[in-house]
Amino acid sequence: MSTSEATARLAVGDQAPDFTLSDAAGNAVALADYRGQKTIIYFYPAASTPGCTKQACDFRDSLESLKALGYQVLGISPDKVSKLEKFVAKEELNFPLLSDEDHAVAEAYGAWGEKKNYGRVYEGLIRSTIVLDEQGAVTLAQYNVRATGHVAKLRRDLGIDPK
């Protein structure tokens, strides 16, 4: 994909593209395994970086309350499985992190595209969060989210916490 092409973003009501990716232990994880459950899929650029660590730890610390409301959490990045394994162990993450090295899933979800950083334009992962209902339909799609405070904002947007 060239930078002139825009990846189509998902919208509320869209059916989420199916995928199977490897988790931090090298096990295959399929989106189909999560049918019947509400699922939060968040895309982040790189494990063990400051913003991504903050976001992952926020999801870790909110996981029990999210699960109590029927939500599962999946994190997806273009990192290799070995890097995810170290990240999970170091931060004691309690939800699956999935490796999307060729960024095919990120592209299918509209989370890969043109980015600008300090005047430089390049292609990369766009920090995004997609929430699915029990049938795999999109109920919330957020792109270009901020790492810090994102989980709290997501909880408000889902109606879990008051505004």
Side-chain angles (χ1 to χ4, degrees):
M1 184 171 88
S2 73
T3 52
S4 61
E5 294 177 69
T7 303
R9 293 188 169 177
L10 296 180
V12 172
D14 288 348
Q15 193 65 28
D18 280 322
F19 61 79
T20 301
L21 294 170
S22 294
D23 69 8
N27 301 312
V29 175
L31 181 59
D33 299 339
Y34 290 83
R35 290 288 187 271
Q37 302 173 77
K38 294 179 279 189
T39 306
I40 298 168
I41 302 171
Y42 82 97
F43 292 88
Y44 63 98
S48 299
T49 58
C52 295
T53 298
K54 173 73 173 144
Q55 188 178 24
C57 291
D58 282 351
F59 273 113
R60 177 197 65 202
D61 296 345
S62 289
L63 190 65
E64 287 309 311
S65 64
L66 290 169
K67 279 187 167 184
L69 295 165
Y71 289 95
Q72 298 297 321
V73 174
L74 298 172
I76 300 178
S77 75
D79 294 308
K80 294 180 182 305
V81 168
S82 59
K83 188 172 180 186
L84 296 179
E85 181 180 30
K86 291 174 188 156
F87 188 40
V88 166
K90 181 178 183 206
E91 303 302 334
E92 299 178 355
L93 301 178
N94 51 1
F95 57 90
L97 293 185
L98 307 178
S99 173
D100 183 26
E101 282 189 70
D102 64 1
H103 50 81
V105 175
E107 287 183 39
Y109 278 70
W112 187 269
E114 186 176 280
K115 296 176 69 165
K116 294 177 183 164
N117 192 18
Y118 298 109
R120 187 172 75 94
V121 178
Y122 62 98
E123 280 189 4
L125 193 126
I126 299 163
R127 193 181 302 275
S128 308
T129 300
I130 310 297
V131 182
L132 308 178
D133 68 12
E134 295 85 347
Q135 290 74 44
V138 175
T139 59
L140 185 66
Q142 299 179 328
Y143 294 93
N144 295 305
V145 302
R146 294 179 49 110
T148 302
H150 176 60
V151 175
K153 181 184 182 317
L154 180 64
R155 292 174 65 89
R156 288 190 304 273
D157 293 347
L158 291 171
I160 295 169
D161 293 335
K163 300 207 182 291

